[in-house]
Amino acid sequence: MPRVSGTKRSILDAALELASLNGITGTTMEDVAVRAGVAKGSVYYNFSSKDKLFEQLLLDGIGALAETLRQSRDGKTGGQALASMVTAMLELISGNQPLAKLIAAEIFRTDRSWQTHLQTVRREALAEIVTVIRETHPERPDAELMAGTIFGAVLVGGIEWLAFSPERSVEEVSESVLFTLSGRLTA
Amino acid sequence: MPRVSGTKRSILDAALELASLNGITGTTMEDVAVRAGVAKGSVYYNFSSKDKLFEQLLLDGIGALAETLRQSRDGKTGGQALASMVTAMLELISGNQPLAKLIAAEIFRTDRSWQTHLQTVRREALAEIVTVIRETHPERPDAELMAGTIFGAVLVGGIEWLAFSPERSVEEVSESVLFTLSGRLTA
């Protein structure tokens, strides 16, 4: 994730807080300025428009996911790599639940100015999972589809966890997701 | 799904079309009336507010999911029941892609008047998967979490399918999702 600091960070944080309460459409640049404690001109100086602001917020979030998946795979293959990636994704979701929910809500929309860019970065993130699948199953023509399936499993499982059983540890939830993928339910 | 017909159906269909283009917030009751070819008064006669209109659209959609899961399980248990449910969910998503995307985008939001009701119906739908898991794994305390994980896998896998490889048949995609859950990736 490209690290930003100072005013820019305050503005992005304020925008995320407001969007998780009122949605992106329900959030104005004025609201963001007030929440961040900066002048409205400063918000526009840092981001030329509301669309640009939320685009950066979402792209940073998915970029962080890609980076997390890359790091957690590090040298591992197959089931070990996937287990490590599942845990790392859950930790990321747990560490920034409002952003995870915003990404989940935005990733399927087709009416946003940032959709093309968002899909590109999303595919880059999923490419980490695709690589792991292809290493052990080069014969499968559907590695991308399966990577999307795993991404959806972890994203929805993670949000379900934080919403309904936040007392569980990330290790427990990781075990639940991996149990779901282990074939013991479908046997 | 409670079947509605005539004017009410036209209004719901028009609202879904518009929301898939412009988002719910970007859709007005006036737009819906024009698209449905009815008077604005007629839209308000059938739905007292835009929130009520979209609430019914989303609840109908999740209600249809619950009914589909119930029917597809019919007498089966374990892996057979899950395989049947995965295929049925994919068929449902494929049959109404705009509604599936709208549900995916709405299910994680926390700023909607209908969120409590939507979560209730969603849990009713997931309860069908929970039942299947509990039958074969009564010792697991995390059946709901695993049901959410499977739901996310199929929902995101299904949307991925329709967006990037719509030439695949529902049987192929169902096989991909079940392969992902089969343990052969995590072994």
Side-chain angles (χ1 to χ4, degrees):
Chain A
M1 169 152 57
R3 295 276 163 204
V4 296
S5 58
T7 306
K8 209 157 188 166
R9 182 75 268 154
S10 309
I11 293 168
L12 288 166
D13 290 345
L16 177 58
E17 281 173 47
L18 289 167
S20 70
L21 293 171
N22 310 317
I24 293 178
T25 311
T27 299
T28 68
M29 291 291 256
E30 285 85 344
D31 298 336
V32 173
V34 171
R35 183 77 155 220
V38 302
K40 191 174 151 193
S42 175
V43 178
Y44 279 101
Y45 174 81
N46 282 283
F47 302 96
S48 57
S49 67
K50 192 178 95 172
D51 274 8
K52 290 284 174 206
L53 199 175
F54 280 104
E55 179 171 3
Q56 172 147 6
L57 191 60
L58 291 164
L59 293 179
D60 283 2
I62 308 256
L65 170 66
E67 186 53 33
T68 297
L69 290 174
R70 220 175 346 259
Q71 286 180 7
S72 59
R73 178 157 74 92
D74 185 39
K76 303 184 189 74
T77 56
Q80 270 204 315
L82 283 177
S84 178
M85 289 166 119
V86 165
T87 305
M89 269 185 76
L90 288 170
E91 275 168 358
L92 193 66
I93 292 169
S94 161
N96 198 338
Q97 194 183 350
L99 186 55
K101 284 169 108 171
L102 198 66
I103 288 173
E106 287 296 317
I107 207 122
F108 304 114
R109 294 187 66 138
T110 52
D111 59 321
R112 299 297 204 190
S113 65
W114 53 71
Q115 73 187 68
T116 310
H117 204 165
L118 191 63
Q119 289 307 331
T120 306
V121 182
R122 171 168 170 269
R123 300 204 92 175
E124 281 168 23
L126 290 195
E128 297 295 320
I129 307 178
V130 170
T131 302
V132 171
I133 296 173
R134 289 218 173 108
E135 278 171 1
T136 51
H137 292 83
E139 79 289 359
R140 297 284 310 189
D142 54 350
E144 296 203 336
L145 186 55
M146 293 198 286
T149 302
I150 291 173
F151 172 69
V154 181
L155 184 65
V156 177
I159 291 174
E160 184 90 14
W161 160 40
L162 297 167
F164 301 113
S165 51
E167 73 285 357
R168 293 203 166 107
S169 70
V170 68
E171 290 76 19
E172 288 176 285
V173 180
S174 184
E175 193 273 334
S176 292
V177 172
L178 291 169
F179 191 92
T180 309
L181 301 177
S182 75
R184 278 170 286 182
L185 295 181
T186 53
Chain B
M1 170 151 56
R3 295 277 164 203
V4 295
S5 58
T7 306
K8 208 156 188 167
R9 184 74 267 157
S10 309
I11 293 168
L12 288 166
D13 290 345
L16 176 59
E17 281 173 47
L18 290 166
S20 70
L21 294 171
N22 310 316
I24 293 178
T25 311
T27 299
T28 68
M29 292 290 258
E30 285 84 344
D31 298 336
V32 173
V34 171
R35 183 76 155 222
V38 303
K40 192 174 149 192
S42 175
V43 178
Y44 278 102
Y45 174 80
N46 283 282
F47 302 96
S48 56
S49 68
K50 192 178 95 172
D51 275 9
K52 290 284 173 204
L53 198 175
F54 279 104
E55 179 171 2
Q56 172 148 4
L57 191 60
L58 292 163
L59 293 180
D60 281 2
I62 309 255
L65 171 64
E67 184 55 33
T68 296
L69 290 174
R70 220 175 343 260
Q71 286 178 7
S72 60
R73 178 158 73 93
D74 185 39
K76 302 184 189 72
T77 56
Q80 270 204 317
L82 284 177
S84 176
M85 288 165 120
V86 165
T87 305
M89 266 184 79
L90 288 170
E91 276 168 356
L92 192 67
I93 293 169
S94 161
N96 198 340
Q97 195 182 349
L99 185 56
K101 285 170 106 171
L102 197 67
I103 288 173
E106 287 296 320
I107 207 123
F108 304 114
R109 295 188 66 138
T110 52
D111 60 320
R112 300 298 203 188
S113 65
W114 53 72
Q115 72 187 67
T116 309
H117 204 166
L118 191 63
Q119 290 307 332
T120 305
V121 181
R122 170 168 170 269
R123 300 204 93 176
E124 281 169 23
L126 289 196
E128 297 295 320
I129 307 179
V130 170
T131 302
V132 171
I133 295 174
R134 290 219 172 108
E135 277 171 359
T136 51
H137 292 83
E139 79 289 0
R140 298 283 310 188
D142 55 350
E144 295 203 336
L145 186 55
M146 294 198 286
T149 302
I150 292 174
F151 172 69
V154 180
L155 184 65
V156 177
I159 292 174
E160 184 89 14
W161 160 41
L162 297 167
F164 301 114
S165 52
E167 72 285 358
R168 293 203 166 108
S169 69
V170 68
E171 289 77 17
E172 287 176 286
V173 179
S174 184
E175 193 275 333
S176 293
V177 172
L178 292 169
F179 191 93
T180 309
L181 302 177
S182 75
R184 278 170 286 182
L185 296 181
T186 53

